[in-house]
């Protein structure tokens, strides 16, 4: 993760500055994808620019490619399973969890934090375990589908985030720091113990954005959600109503389906808006905040909750 230029052309950034005072804007949570095709250089430069101008930013990162490479170097094979709901995810047994923690909290988080500091950002690296930042019950068994049959796999080390230590993040932001956060999360055992467990980085970013009332930007290796997943010219630019969100959900396939799920969770939890955008363009974060990519507004989920005269 070294040797990249961390600057963009600055044009989009200058335009953004002219529009509003960044210090008056809500925080930004940016999730940088962990796939090999995602170059974090542009995001690093944009976070440096925004932080220097007073915008509060929290970075969440993934690392699926490096986790798989670490597992293979240790002589194991990455294992993915299909859940009963049809979602594909990593099966994380005890040995895999060791490799996961080494790759995410040990290697990637430290390297990315160093890159931000090199770019002038007062970055602080954290895992979801630190300070109980991301916390919830450990899931030790999962329902999976193998050869068309539903089975229960035990020995899993994953968790569902139920709480975010927003005070920890807010304190760091108020003191001028930029948190750089990665899984694992704090998994609470039934006996009161705590275990570091796997959690999806997109959904971690959603939980943090909801807790902070932030704008969420999910940077990935495509321009956004396409109406035809095979045709980049069919980009869906926005969704502001339940019907428009339903169209986005219907178009999202594979990994994009997880991002749209995370977007819904973020908005339902209190985030202002969610943007799915390309990490590999100039000034990707500033461009996303300025309208690039697919923007999903809070109204797309808030209206769904209007029943019996009550609104979310």
């Amino acid at each position: 993760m070294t040797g990249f230029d961390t600057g963009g052309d600055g044009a989009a950034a200058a335009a953004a500055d002219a529009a509003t005072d960044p210090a008056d804007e809500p925080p930004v949570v940016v999730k940088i994808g962990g796939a090999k095709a995602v170059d974090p250089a542009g995001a690093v430069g944009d976070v440096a620019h925004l932080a220097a101008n007073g915008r509060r930013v929290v970075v969440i990162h993934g690392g699926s490619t490096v986790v798989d490479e670490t597992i293979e170097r240790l002589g194991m094979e990455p294992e993915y399973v299909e859940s009963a709901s049809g979602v594909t995810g990593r099966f994380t047994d005890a040995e895999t969890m060791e490799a996961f923690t080494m790759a995410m909290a040990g290697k990637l988080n430290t390297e990315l934090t160093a890159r931000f500091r090199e770019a002038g950002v007062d970055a602080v690296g954290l895992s979801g375990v630190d300070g109980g930042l991301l916390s919830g019950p450990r899931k030790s068994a999962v329902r999976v589908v193998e050869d068309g049959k539903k089975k229960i796999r035990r020995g899993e080390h994953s968790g569902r985030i139920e709480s975010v230590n927003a005070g920890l993040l807010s304190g760091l932001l108020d003191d001028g720091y930029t948190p750089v956060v990665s899984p694992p999360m704090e998994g609470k055992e039934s006996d009161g113990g705590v275990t570091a467990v796997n959690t999806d980085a997109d959904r971690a970013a959603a939980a943090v954005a909801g807790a902070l009332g932030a704008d969420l930007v999910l940077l990935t290796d495509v321009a956004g959600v396409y109406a035809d997943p095979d045709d980049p010219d069919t980009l869906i630019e926005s969704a502001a109503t339940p019907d428009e969100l339903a169209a986005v959900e219907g178009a999202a396939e594979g990994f994009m389906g997880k991002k749209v799920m995370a977007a819904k969770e973020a908005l339902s939890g209190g985030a202002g808006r969610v943007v799915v955008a390309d990490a590999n363009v100039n000034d990707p974060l500033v461009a996303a905040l300025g309208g690039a990519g697919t923007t999903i507004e809070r109204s797309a989920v808030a209206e769904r909750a209007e029943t019996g005269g009550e609104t979310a």
Side-chain angles (χ1 to χ4, degrees):
M1 296 180 65
T2 58
F4 293 114
D5 178 10
T6 57
D9 60 21
D17 286 347
T20 57
D21 180 355
D24 294 333
E25 294 292 296
V28 177
V29 174
V30 55
K31 189 268 181 172
I32 302 175
K36 187 173 291 187
V38 173
D39 183 352
V44 171
D46 272 1
V47 170
H49 167 79
L50 292 174
N53 285 277
R55 190 77 183 261
R56 294 166 295 161
V57 184
V58 177
V59 178
I60 315 287
H61 70 84
S64 57
T65 299
V66 174
V67 171
D68 283 347
E69 291 172 349
T70 302
I71 289 171
E72 290 169 354
R73 280 202 299 270
L74 293 173
M76 301 181 291
E77 287 291 331
E79 183 179 5
Y80 289 85
V81 294
E82 180 184 347
S83 72
S85 60
V87 177
T88 299
R90 184 188 303 279
F91 183 76
T92 315
D93 59 15
E95 287 187 327
T96 301
M97 191 64 221
E98 288 185 21
F100 181 91
T101 303
M102 289 168 56
M104 293 292 287
K107 176 180 172 61
L108 286 173
N109 188 265
T110 300
E111 290 183 348
L112 190 57
T113 300
R115 290 188 64 170
F116 278 113
R117 294 193 62 80
E118 183 180 16
V121 178
D122 213 351
V124 176
L126 298 166
S127 82
V129 178
D130 297 325
L133 179 54
L134 305 172
S135 183
R138 174 193 169 187
K139 188 188 303 180
S140 61
V142 290
R143 291 183 176 88
V144 302
V145 177
E146 294 180 359
D147 300 324
K149 297 180 180 180
K150 293 182 180 180
K151 300 180 180 179
I152 294 179
R153 291 285 302 275
R154 303 191 184 279
E156 169 74 337
H157 289 67
S158 64
R160 175 171 50 87
I161 298 169
E162 287 190 345
S163 66
V164 175
N165 189 343
L168 172 58
L169 294 174
S170 295
L172 289 169
L173 292 170
D174 290 346
D175 287 341
Y177 294 103
T178 296
V180 180
V181 180
S182 77
M185 63 172 277
E186 177 183 83
K188 295 184 176 179
E189 304 280 3
S190 58
D191 63 1
V194 169
T195 302
V197 297
N198 186 5
T199 190
D200 179 73
D202 286 321
R203 300 180 77 175
V208 170
L212 294 177
D215 291 336
L216 172 60
V217 178
L218 301 172
L219 292 178
T220 184
D221 59 352
V222 294
V225 183
Y226 303 143
D228 177 354
D230 297 321
D231 185 356
D233 291 330
T234 63
L235 176 70
I236 301 173
E237 294 184 354
S238 64
T241 68
D243 286 344
E244 291 173 344
L245 177 55
V248 171
E249 291 180 271
E253 295 183 354
F255 77 95
M256 191 58 75
K258 287 187 177 182
K259 296 188 184 302
V260 174
M261 180 190 300
K264 291 171 58 182
E265 291 175 358
L267 295 167
S268 297
R273 57 175 168 155
V274 179
V275 187
V276 182
D278 192 347
N280 300 322
V281 299
N282 286 334
D283 304 315
L285 178 53
V286 172
L289 294 172
T294 299
T295 300
I296 304 175
E297 302 288 350
R298 191 173 183 183
S299 56
V301 296
E303 291 182 21
R304 289 184 171 185
E306 293 181 0
T307 57
E310 296 179 354
T311 58

